[in-house]
Amino acid sequence: HGGWPLTVVMTPNKDPFFAGTYFPKESRHGRIGMLDLLPRLSELWRERRSEALNSAGQIATALWQSAHGEARSATDEAPDAATDELGRAALDEAFQQLSRVFDPLQGGFGRAPKFPTPHNLRFLLRYWRRTGETKALEMVERTLRAMRQGGVYDQVGFGFHRYSTDARWMLPHFEKMLYDQALLVMAYVETFLATRQRGYAEVAEEVIEYVRRDLRDAGGAFHSAEDADSEGREGQFYVWTDEELAEVLDAEDARFVRSVFNFDRRGNFAEEATGQRTGENVLHAGRSWSDAAGSLGVSEAEIRERWSQIRERLLAAREGRIRPQKDDKVLADWNGLMIAALAQAAAALERPEYLSAAVEAWEFVRSEMIDPEGRLLHRYRDGEAAIPAFADDYAFLTWGLLELYEASLDPEHLREALRLNGELLERFWDGERGGLYQTAAGSAELPIRSREIYDGAVPSANSVAMLNLLRLGRLTADVELENRALAIEAAFAERVRQIPSAHTQLLAAVDFRLGPSREVVIVGKPGGSDTEALLGVLRGRFEPSTVVLFRPAGEDGGEVTRLAPFTKGMGEIGGEASAYVCRDYACERPVTAQADLKAMLAIATGGRSVNDE
């Protein structure tokens, strides 16, 4: 079994001979603890070393076979394009697989424990847009609403806990991860763009408030996580007894919280180990604000305003408790995801402060996490940056820079995205089979250089890189970049076909490749009202298969014409900001009116969109 944390015991030659996931300090509930495990491992190494070395050899062989099992023999005939490419059938099968495990009552997929897996939701949004399949959108909305209303969401301080231990999203594992916040912000923002329901935007804003308040490093980047435990108990920081509620609130407000958030004087959950109620409560609504307002006989606006005031008092009281420990490492890959989320939210929600936060995080990475040779490093802590970057670091930061470019239209971000992407291909590309290794050529010795495609807690580097390559190829008209994306698809197509629903980030890239995709070039004066009006049309829509370039009006066109030479001949029409809508770099006549741009975007979108109503 894999998982995190991962414990690996190795020989002095760095050959692993024993591995496991989490081990508690002391043995409990049938799980061996470190204090018992370590003496046994020591005894094994001293007295039965040959067994350990034999185990290491078997593990090394198994790892090599796992990594190379999909490789083609040199004598195999090259498969045809139909085998190498994933088509609409893979998208359909992924949708069907997710449909079969979807929980129609509680949202989410499968039974307890339930994980957020935002890339599944983002794939379903794209599938809905392509096909008009309403069930896909319903699965997304049901899940996002249930999570926001559940205990898996920190109702007082905002942000999502790691996962729910039950099927109702009520009792979480209380750890908070930066990557969950980032990926869920993107899922909520995209659902807002697809539906125009403001509630999804509000969740994204709340999560960003939590991240900027509690996870931001003084230098502008973001820390990795907050622990589940404090004072020796999981969730101690987050749960409330009835007595604690009464100490903070007056009787009327306490009754309000009990009613809205399913309080129980005996506690609203039982300990997993003993089955006993502890008198503690996890705040969870389990219903919408409108439903809660109806049951209390007040308006939704009234209940929201009242809760806002109560929440501030509860938050202030909670700050007096001993906080969970914070993992204050700055990781390049997870910061790449947060940069992408902040930039996307800045554009969609018209929040320039989010864009500033994204730029600050990128500037921190660029200034503090590059080695003297100009190579990216994986982590930073206490003034020290170390560990050569992995493929995830390059791919996720490139994603962040792409979103930064489309939100800011600063060509420096596009240039940096191209630079990082170039380093990724140079140092991680598998020249024989296609796709990306996790580690760079010449990095520290490992038993194997693995290639990952499974989209688990976070998407794989290969999945993210495929979509990056397609977007960069469309932004710059560089066919070679698109060819590299196709090579990633070909390298893993057979594996993806076996379980498409385990590779939904890759399938989002396939959805982009299948098209119709478009390049939209806005030509105008930076900051001009007519320019901003046309950009507003694009930013207010769910257009996942559209890339956007901004070419400043003028004869030269600036840096963007050097990065994307196909924009050189484009100019304003009649002195007004103009939009060129292109497909495969063949552009329609430019338009200057918002209504005309909306009409052009509505043509051949591949599926029904609320934006077009």
Side-chain angles (χ1 to χ4, degrees), residues 362-363 366 405 410-417 559 563:
W362 163 243
E363 291 297 337
R366 184 162 65 172
Y405 171 70
D410 182 343
E412 178 187 342
H413 298 315
L414 178 56
R415 185 175 63 250
E416 286 293 292
E559 175 73 0
L563 298 172

Side-chain angles (χ1 to χ4, degrees), residues 3-82:
W4 186 44
L6 182 65
T7 303
V8 179
V9 183
M10 296 179 285
T11 71
N13 292 328
K14 300 183 181 179
D15 297 320
F17 67 89
F18 177 85
T21 51
Y22 170 69
F23 295 99
K25 179 180 178 181
E26 298 174 340
S27 299
R28 64 188 187 199
H29 307 312
R31 179 186 291 273
I32 191 170
M34 275 290 186
L35 294 181
D36 291 324
L37 175 63
L38 292 175
R40 295 189 192 185
L41 288 169
S42 178
E43 179 187 0
L44 172 69
W45 186 248
R46 289 194 315 269
E47 301 181 8
R48 307 201 313 273
R49 185 170 303 186
S50 61
E51 293 180 32
L53 294 173
N54 183 55
S55 174
Q58 292 175 343
I59 289 171
T61 299
L63 287 171
W64 192 93
Q65 290 174 340
S66 173
H68 294 79
E70 78 280 5
R72 303 186 187 108
S73 165
T75 59
D76 288 348
E77 293 184 10
D80 58 29

Side-chain angles (χ1 to χ4, degrees), residues 305-320:
E305 176 59 26
R306 186 173 184 185
W307 167 240
S308 177
Q309 296 174 6
I310 292 173
R311 188 192 70 80
E312 290 291 342
R313 299 205 296 277
L314 293 176
L315 180 63
R318 200 176 76 175
E319 287 301 309

Side-chain angles (χ1 to χ4, degrees), residues 43-331:
E43 179 187 0
L44 172 69
W45 186 248
R46 289 194 315 269
E47 301 181 8
R48 307 201 313 273
R49 185 170 303 186
S50 61
E51 293 180 32
L53 294 173
N54 183 55
S55 174
Q58 292 175 343
I59 289 171
T61 299
L63 287 171
W64 192 93
Q65 290 174 340
S66 173
H68 294 79
E70 78 280 5
R72 303 186 187 108
S73 165
T75 59
D76 288 348
E77 293 184 10
D80 58 29
T83 301
D84 278 357
E85 287 189 357
L86 296 161
R88 168 69 184 272
L91 307 183
D92 292 340
E93 180 58 26
F95 168 70
Q96 292 299 333
Q97 289 176 359
L98 292 172
S99 297
R100 287 193 288 271
V101 295
F102 177 68
D103 182 344
L105 295 178
Q106 310 294 341
F109 303 94
R111 301 177 181 177
K114 279 185 177 174
F115 290 80
T117 325
H119 32 286
N120 286 352
L121 305 176
R122 297 177 67 245
F123 162 76
L124 288 170
L125 285 174
R126 285 153 178 77
Y127 188 81
W128 162 74
R129 184 177 179 278
R130 171 173 294 279
T131 65
E133 173 57 69
T134 57
K135 184 178 179 182
L137 182 60
E138 289 167 2
M139 287 194 286
V140 173
E141 292 199 81
R142 183 74 187 92
T143 300
L144 292 181
R145 287 196 301 267
M147 288 177 58
R148 171 59 181 85
Q149 294 162 9
V152 75
Y153 190 71
D154 180 358
Q155 303 289 340
V156 172
F158 302 148
F160 284 94
H161 298 296
R162 180 66 193 92
Y163 62 86
S164 175
T165 63
D166 64 297
R168 296 186 295 142
W169 302 106
M170 190 194 93
L171 181 60
H173 173 52
F174 287 90
E175 191 174 22
K176 287 181 178 180
M177 314 301 301
L178 178 64
Y179 62 77
D180 279 327
Q181 315 310 320
L183 291 166
L184 283 164
V185 164
M186 287 190 269
Y188 278 94
V189 166
E190 290 187 348
T191 306
F192 163 69
L193 290 174
T195 66
R196 305 307 301 181
Q197 292 187 31
R198 176 65 192 163
Y200 299 117
E202 290 173 355
V203 181
E205 290 167 342
E206 290 174 355
V207 174
I208 291 172
E209 179 179 332
Y210 157 69
V211 170
R212 295 180 68 196
R213 183 189 68 225
D214 291 342
L215 293 182
R216 186 179 181 276
D217 183 84
F222 297 97
H223 296 154
S224 297
E226 288 193 292
D227 200 356
D229 298 1
S230 59
E231 302 181 65
R233 292 188 59 213
E234 178 169 349
Q236 180 70 19
F237 182 72
Y238 298 101
V239 297
W240 297 83
T241 64
D242 198 62
E243 292 76 16
E244 288 170 332
L245 197 69
E247 289 175 5
V248 178
L249 305 175
D250 61 33
E252 187 177 346
D253 284 342
R255 279 195 298 272
F256 173 87
V257 173
R258 292 189 192 105
S259 172
V260 173
F261 291 101
N262 297 289
F263 239 72
D264 190 313
R265 294 180 187 276
R266 300 173 303 144
N268 61 13
F269 69 93
E271 281 195 338
E272 187 175 2
T274 66
Q276 299 296 314
R277 296 195 178 225
T278 63
E280 296 164 327
N281 291 269
V282 177
L283 296 185
H284 70 105
R287 56 181 174 172
S288 67
W289 287 120
S290 60
D291 288 343
S295 68
L296 295 175
V298 297
S299 70
E300 183 176 338
E302 288 177 290
I303 199 174
R304 281 174 173 269
E305 176 59 26
R306 186 173 184 185
W307 167 240
S308 177
Q309 296 174 6
I310 292 173
R311 188 192 70 80
E312 290 291 342
R313 299 205 296 277
L314 293 176
L315 180 63
R318 200 176 76 175
E319 287 301 309
R321 299 176 177 177
I322 297 174
R323 292 191 66 91
Q325 284 192 318
K326 184 184 296 184
D327 181 351
D328 59 1
K329 294 190 305 292
V330 172
L331 297 178

